[in-house]
Amino acid sequence: MLRWSLGFLVLALISAILGFGGIAGAAAGIAKILFFVFIVLVLLSFVLPVIKKPNA
C-alpha cells in the first residue's frame, strides 16, 4: 500500500510540473489517504499481537 501511495505522489508531482492542477490535486489527495491507511494498518499490526497475547 505504501508503494501505491508513493506512486500517486509521483503522479501528483509530475502532473503539477506539467500544469495539470486538477489531476495533481486528486492524485495528492489519494496519496495522502493511502498513506494514512498504511500508517493505521502498520500500527494495528504492531498492537494486535500484544493485545491478543495468550496467557502462558
Side-chain angles (χ1 to χ4, degrees):
M1 185 166 306
L2 187 60
R3 189 176 302 216
W4 280 93
S5 177
L6 291 174
F8 277 107
L9 179 64
V10 169
L11 177 67
L13 292 174
I14 292 172
S15 298
I17 290 171
L18 296 177
F20 299 110
I23 296 172
I30 293 171
K32 189 185 306 184
I33 290 169
L34 287 175
F35 179 73
F36 286 121
V37 169
F38 170 77
I39 293 297
V40 168
L41 291 176
V42 165
L43 290 175
L44 283 175
S45 70
F46 286 134
V47 171
L48 286 179
V50 174
I51 293 173
K52 290 189 170 191
K53 184 177 168 183
N55 296 332

